[in-house]
Amino acid sequence: MGIQINYWEGIESHMRIKSLLGILRRPITYVVTSVFFIASLLAFQYAFAQDVVSSAPLTDDKALSAQNYTSTARLGLISNEGIEELVSRVGELDEKKSQLDNAWRIERNKYDAMKIRIDDSKKTIRLEMDEVLLNGSPRERLDELLSQHESLSKNEKEVVKQVTQLEEKLSAHKSLLIQANRDLERMRTLYAAQQREQDILRVQEITRFLDRDLSFSEHISFKCSTTKSLAACLNDYPLDSIIQNGVREHYQIALSNELAEKIGAIRLSSDWYSTQTNHNFTGASMNLDGSVSAEVEIRASIVSRKMMACSLLKASADLCEAQSTSLIVRSNKYGDQVYINNKPYGSTPLSIMLDPGVYNVKIKYQELTQNRTLTLDENRQLNFVF
């Protein structure tokens, strides 16, 4: 987008040739006048060129001192509100960039139009010089044209100044926009990793409450054949559905009492756990009409399935896979690469569930590499600093 200005290209050599012709064809008095005119014209050209060279473009320091969002994604816990705020900021920066683009196009069009007018002015001045130097025409018209050209040149210089300033502002603003977009991408990545870490911790916390033993009593009453004994009636009665419904009900009540603040209302599915039960009749009676009434003591051992905690939390099922310990890997660089036992796992921040064991964790960033070996027997977090 750079602009180069050449105000008087070719005029000096043209003037010298024409002035020699004028000296040969005109009286000495007009020669003196012509020499004075040429000297003044050259002096004007030199002064104007010096003014252009000494005019330095200005830079909008406020644009360069705008907020740096690089550190935003690294400060504390990231909230969805923080992401939305940065999204809004990126939108503002993008809108400002569009405004600067439009302003630059307007000023550039002004410059292009001004350049055409100056080129036309130069041609007109050359023609008028021929008339003055060769034909002895009055100088009033040439002086008027030079005055107009000087005004055009000054206006052009102001337009060039505006264009240069807008170019620098636009360049600085594009850098801010690029950085803000990178920060937004990194913040979203960090937020997703942060949410996964929190979900892993919640899954592990909830899992501690799921396996348990229950003991409760149920009252049953039913009709039985009067030809059967009480023991036979109790033995033939289908208790399985009553036991399973009672286990689910009491299990749900127990979990609700302990986990209501953590996960809210609980509705269990029998697919989420397995049970081993046994029961004893603690009291029973049978009337002459075959009516049986009994109290049943039920004991149940409940083992949750892997996906139960994730189902309760409505979390991703992969958080409840066989691996039982979490490893979180962080670094202070963006665009690094994590290897665990020489297997690539993407860039940091990384949150992963692994089986207990010994692991080699390696991080590569550009030409730098760091290695750590650890025994993973509990949840661990590694921080790498380059």
Side-chain angles (χ1 to χ4, degrees), residues 68-79 186-187 190 194:
N68 185 345
Y69 287 87
T70 304
S71 60
T72 303
R74 301 190 180 102
L75 298 178
L77 290 177
I78 299 170
S79 65
R186 180 166 176 80
M187 182 178 280
L190 288 170
Q194 174 183 292

Side-chain angles (χ1 to χ4, degrees), residues 109-167:
N109 290 336
K110 286 182 182 179
Y111 168 76
D112 292 339
M114 188 78 67
K115 195 72 170 64
I116 293 173
R117 293 180 62 190
I118 287 177
D119 289 342
D120 291 342
S121 175
K122 289 177 182 178
K123 293 175 184 178
T124 305
I125 289 174
R126 288 192 183 101
L127 293 174
E128 191 62 28
M129 271 186 185
D130 290 344
E131 290 296 321
V132 172
L133 295 175
L134 300 179
N135 300 325
S137 299
R139 285 191 48 182
E140 287 77 7
R141 172 63 177 163
L142 180 59
D143 291 339
E144 181 182 351
L145 290 174
L146 286 172
S147 176
Q148 292 175 358
H149 188 84
E150 180 182 5
S151 177
L152 285 174
S153 298
K154 289 181 179 179
N155 291 339
E156 182 192 29
K157 187 175 70 170
E158 290 300 319
V159 172
V160 169
K161 184 177 178 181
Q162 290 296 323
V163 171
T164 303
Q165 287 179 342
L166 286 171
E167 286 175 354

Side-chain angles (χ1 to χ4, degrees), residues 219-222 230 233-234 283-287 290-295:
H219 177 80
I220 59 173
S221 59
F222 57 93
L230 176 60
C233 289
L234 293 175
S285 63
M286 182 176 181
N287 296 330
S291 299
V292 177
S293 178
E295 291 290 330

